[in-house]
């Protein structure tokens, strides 16, 4: 199994190279990407089963053992993230058959999507911070190119904001790497766990930790570092928005969880309290931002911010139940949020616009789209028995168990305010009568087809399944949380006898 640990990275990069050779054949590019996504999903499933049955998997690249060489590592958290990446990869690959024009395909869309997935998989599997930085840069280059692929004014404006703030994150990350290497002489995560326990300058260690917290906070979109996200995510094609919303911010959250459990654990250093305050502010500002907008993808973009607050809340509480809740929430949210963006594309095809004022009557004309919207929208709000109910309930219970009653109240109230945004979309787009020009606008944007509907139905079914049978996902999330809070096995597996 360890020899296959690199496959989630190799498969999309190999596919990217292949489709670049046939840029004038969009259909072949699409089929190759779908096949790659299926292989990636199968490898991710096999990886998770292997980790769950036999323990943490380690691959020293080129035979160089840690901490001297590049190491790939998969524990429960990494394996779960790789698996869910495969799900979104496949959904977006299918949806792209209908959403992406031949012109965009010739400009490199399919190559860029594959490069992006390869970078995301690398970030989840890397065992050292420098290579995490490398994978972040791969993701940044691919995502920026995807943002501006259509060359419209709005895309260029959003792309510039996106890349500038992410370059600031990169600068902070690189500065932290330099200081950390000067302090310890290593950047291997497992080795850093040991080295920092013997560090003699706690003030410098705390300063470096804040640098990493800020860098990953920008990537995650937490308060007050989220302004790049709603300025950019509504501008590219729907398939691009979906993979961005599902995965990009979650890589930042993953990096934050990995770093602040393995390298800089919260031990009476004030970082935990800082994260909890940021989590509450992120939840509140995100949901308030969503309430003020009337464009579907802008509303959904602000809800990404709001929901990231729940994930960071689990990290800040730093208990087994809270971290399990954070992992559960991440997985649930990736499915739901990517699906909502895909459904926004269905709404535009059916109604001719993303603007709520220009939409209407979709319930009577497209009942299936209404049902497909209802499931992830009200899962996002936390309605039982959908997956979001269990995700929110775990985190609220974790807050109550450690006496953070105010945070539990904030989480509950933000969930209720999410209902407002989802109800607004429902009332404006599905329930009210259609505007007079809606039919003409819909005729211009195109019609619904199986390539668009199939991934949406698949992910809606997953949301219902997780809601009705949450035990399996919770047990996997609990196993991930136990590994995060007790990193001894991770360190021993990666380093062997090296100290």
């Amino acid at each position: 199994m360890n020899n296959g640990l690199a496959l989630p990275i190799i498969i999309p990069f190999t596919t990217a190279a292949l489709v670049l050779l046939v840029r004038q054949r969009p259909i072949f590019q699409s089929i190759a990407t779908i096949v790659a996504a299926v292989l990636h999903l199968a490898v991710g499933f096999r990886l998770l089963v292997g980790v769950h049955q036999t323990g943490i998997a380690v691959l020293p690249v080129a035979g160089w053992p840690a901490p001297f060489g590049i190491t790939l590592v998969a524990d429960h958290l990494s394996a779960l993230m790789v698996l869910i990446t495969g799900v979104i990869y496949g959904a977006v690959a299918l949806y792209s058959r209908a959403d992406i024009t031949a012109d965009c395909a010739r400009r490199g869309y399919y190559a860029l999507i594959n490069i992006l997935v390869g970078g995301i998989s690398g970030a989840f599997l890397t065992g050292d911070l420098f290579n995490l930085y490398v994978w972040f840069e791969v993701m940044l280059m691919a995502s920026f190119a995807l943002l501006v692929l259509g060359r419209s004014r709005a895309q260029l404006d959003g792309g510039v904001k996106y890349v500038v703030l992410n370059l600031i994150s990169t600068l902070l990350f690189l500065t932290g790497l330099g200081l950390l290497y000067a302090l310890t002489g290593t950047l291997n995560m497992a080795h850093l766990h040991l080295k920092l326990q013997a560090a003699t300058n706690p003030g410098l260690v705390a300063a470096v930790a804040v640098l990493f917290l800020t860098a990953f906070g920008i990537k995650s979109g937490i308060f007050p570092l989220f302004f790049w996200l709603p300025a950019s995510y509504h501008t590219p094609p729907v398939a691009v928005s979906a993979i961005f919303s599902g995965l990009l911010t979650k890589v930042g959250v993953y990096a934050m969880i990995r770093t602040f459990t393995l390298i800089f654990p919260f031990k009476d250093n004030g970082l935990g309290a800082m994260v909890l305050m940021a989590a509450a502010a992120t939840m509140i500002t995100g949901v308030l931002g969503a309430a003020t907008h009337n464009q579907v993808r802008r509303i959904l973009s602000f809800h990404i911010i709001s929901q990231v607050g729940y994930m960071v809340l689990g990290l800040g509480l730093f208990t087994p139940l809270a971290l399990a809740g954070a992992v559960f929430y991440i997985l649930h949210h990736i499915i739901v949020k990517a699906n909502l963006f895909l459904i926004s594309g269905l709404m535009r095809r059916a109604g001719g616009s993303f603007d709520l004022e220009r939409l209407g009557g979709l319930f009577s004309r497209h009942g299936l789209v209404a049902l497909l919207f209802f499931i992830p929208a009200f899962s996002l709000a936390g309605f039982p028995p959908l997956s979001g109910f269990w995700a929110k309930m775990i985190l609220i219970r974790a807050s109550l168990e450690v006496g953070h009653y105010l945070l539990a109240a904030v989480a509950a109230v933000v969930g209720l305010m999410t209902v407002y945004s989802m109800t607004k979309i429902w009332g404006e787009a599905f329930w009210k009568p259609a505007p007079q020009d809606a039919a003409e606008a819909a005729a211009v944007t195109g019609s619904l087809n199986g390539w668009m509907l199939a991934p949406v139905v698949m992910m809606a079914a997953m949301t219902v399944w997780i809601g009705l049978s949450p035990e399996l996902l919770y047990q996997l999330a609990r196993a991930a949380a136990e590994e995060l809070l007790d990193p001894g096995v991770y360190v021993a597996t990666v380093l062997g006898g090296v100290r």
Side-chain angles (χ1 to χ4, degrees), residues 460-475:
M462 291 178 67
T463 300
V464 174
W465 175 69
I466 293 171
L468 295 176
S469 304
E471 183 65 20
L472 175 60
L473 184 57
Y474 175 74
Q475 290 301 329

Side-chain angles (χ1 to χ4, degrees), residues 135-464:
W135 293 124
F136 271 145
E137 293 307 290
V138 171
M139 291 162 47
L140 178 60
M141 289 185 289
S143 56
F144 176 69
L146 286 165
L147 269 177
V148 300
L149 198 61
R151 303 176 186 175
S152 70
R153 183 184 181 92
Q155 288 176 344
L156 292 172
D157 180 63
V160 168
K161 294 173 182 175
Y162 172 83
V163 79
V164 167
L165 283 171
N166 275 274
L167 284 175
I168 293 172
S169 170
T170 295
L171 179 62
L172 293 171
F173 190 6
L174 199 55
T175 302
L177 288 178
L179 291 172
L180 201 56
Y181 188 79
L183 184 64
T184 63
T186 185
L187 291 175
N188 180 278
M189 295 183 192
H191 207 207
L192 282 168
H193 175 81
L194 298 177
K195 289 287 187 177
L196 287 177
Q197 290 180 347
T200 58
N201 193 338
L204 179 58
V205 172
V208 174
V210 171
L211 282 175
F212 280 103
L213 182 61
T214 307
F216 296 148
I218 294 174
K219 298 288 187 185
S220 306
I222 65 172
F223 179 87
L225 309 168
F226 58 76
F227 297 103
W228 59 270
L229 195 158
S232 57
Y233 273 27
H234 68 288
T235 60
V238 171
V240 176
S241 292
I243 198 167
F244 281 15
S245 65
L247 294 174
L248 285 191
T249 52
K250 312 314 177 299
V251 179
V253 175
Y254 167 86
M256 196 180 298
I257 291 174
R258 179 69 70 194
T259 302
F260 289 95
T261 54
L262 182 60
I263 302 172
F264 305 107
F266 300 150
K267 293 180 180 177
D268 302 321
N269 53 14
L271 289 174
M274 186 185 304
V275 168
L276 288 175
M277 288 188 290
T282 302
M283 286 188 280
I284 293 168
T285 54
V287 79
L288 290 177
T292 63
H293 283 84
N294 282 305
Q295 207 260 24
V296 176
R297 289 200 293 177
R298 278 188 176 270
I299 294 172
L300 297 178
S301 295
F302 272 100
H303 275 301
I304 297 172
I305 298 164
S306 175
Q307 304 300 307
V308 164
Y310 286 92
M311 305 167 203
V312 177
L313 172 64
L315 173 62
L317 293 171
F318 213 69
T319 65
L321 182 62
L323 278 172
V327 174
F328 192 106
Y329 207 104
I330 290 170
L331 299 170
H332 134 80
H333 186 262
I334 287 173
I335 296 169
V336 165
K337 183 56 67 174
N339 204 20
L340 281 170
F341 270 90
L342 295 182
I343 292 167
S344 74
L346 298 182
M347 293 165 62
R348 180 175 181 271
R349 287 286 184 113
S353 178
F354 290 114
D355 194 328
L356 292 179
E357 293 180 356
R358 300 177 61 187
L359 288 170
L362 295 183
F363 180 80
S364 59
R365 292 185 288 118
H366 296 279
L368 178 60
V369 176
L371 174 63
L372 292 173
F373 170 79
F374 183 90
I375 292 171
F378 288 92
S379 177
L380 191 74
F383 272 46
L386 301 169
S387 60
F389 169 74
W390 300 107
K392 283 184 170 61
M393 189 189 73
I394 294 169
L395 288 170
I396 291 172
R397 179 177 175 182
S399 301
L400 294 174
E401 283 186 353
V402 293
H404 283 291
Y405 304 111
L406 181 59
L407 287 172
V410 168
V413 170
V414 168
L416 292 175
M417 294 178 70
T418 304
V419 177
Y420 168 76
S421 295
M422 297 301 106
T423 303
K424 179 171 72 172
I425 295 175
W426 176 266
E428 292 291 315
F430 293 94
W431 205 247
K432 79 176 185 188
Q436 292 183 352
D437 62 346
E440 181 180 343
V444 172
T445 54
S447 60
L448 305 181
N449 62 49
W451 292 112
M452 303 181 79
L453 289 169
V456 172
V457 171
M458 176 190 71
M459 290 197 287
M462 291 178 67
T463 300
V464 174

